[in-house]
Amino acid sequence: MLSERMQSALNKQIRIEAESSQIYLAMASWAELQGLEGTSKFMYAASDEERMHMLKFFKYINERGGHALVSELDAPALEFGSIKDMFETLFKHEVYVSQTINDLVHISLEEKDYATHNFLQWYVAEQIEEEAQARTILDKIKLIGDDKGGLYLFDNDIKQVTVVSSVSPQA
Ligand code: OFO
């Protein structure tokens, strides 16, 4: 059984994961309008991935006798000045999500909820991967600078990049 405190913290995370999904969906749309087909494909996949992260929390809360809640969401930014700005926003957002996962781990230890602590390890591993991937992409974009040809090649390359998932989200 989840404590009230643990349950409410997990429900807050559902909202954060759902907002992440919306943020990346807005990025997918913006990239599509810029003609950045590969980048847009990457963002659509990232948005789907975040929805899976959300659902994993959802199922876990209900499985442990709690009530997973659907909440209102903050509206994401819809415009990004440049592809570099967009990936910087993504990177900062993932760093923020890592912090929120760490806070949850902290609460699980304080509540002596070792099942939830164990459950959260999947997210801890996932965040290491996501931050690393975002950092690598950002480094590439910085190298390209204002080179249009470089941007074209980058957009083509990112089509091959699979959005990270360290372990199957169904696990
Ligand atoms: Fe991008 O991360 Fe969810 O958890």
Side-chain angles (χ1 to χ4, degrees), residues 13 17 20 24 50 53 57 94 97 101 123 126-127 130:
Q13 196 66 30
E17 301 295 338
S20 302
Y24 300 154
E50 297 299 343
H53 295 175
F57 276 110
E94 286 304 329
V97 173
I101 297 290
Y123 289 90
E126 178 75 10
Q127 283 312 118
E130 290 203 0

Side-chain angles (χ1 to χ4, degrees), residues 14 17 46 48-58 94 97 119 122-123 126-127 130 164-165 169:
I14 285 182
E17 301 295 338
D48 284 348
E49 176 80 18
E50 297 299 343
R51 180 174 157 81
M52 278 194 285
H53 295 175
M54 181 202 68
L55 283 175
K56 201 170 152 71
F57 276 110
F58 219 85
E94 286 304 329
V97 173
F119 167 77
W122 183 86
Y123 289 90
E126 178 75 10
Q127 283 312 118
E130 290 203 0
V164 282
S165 187

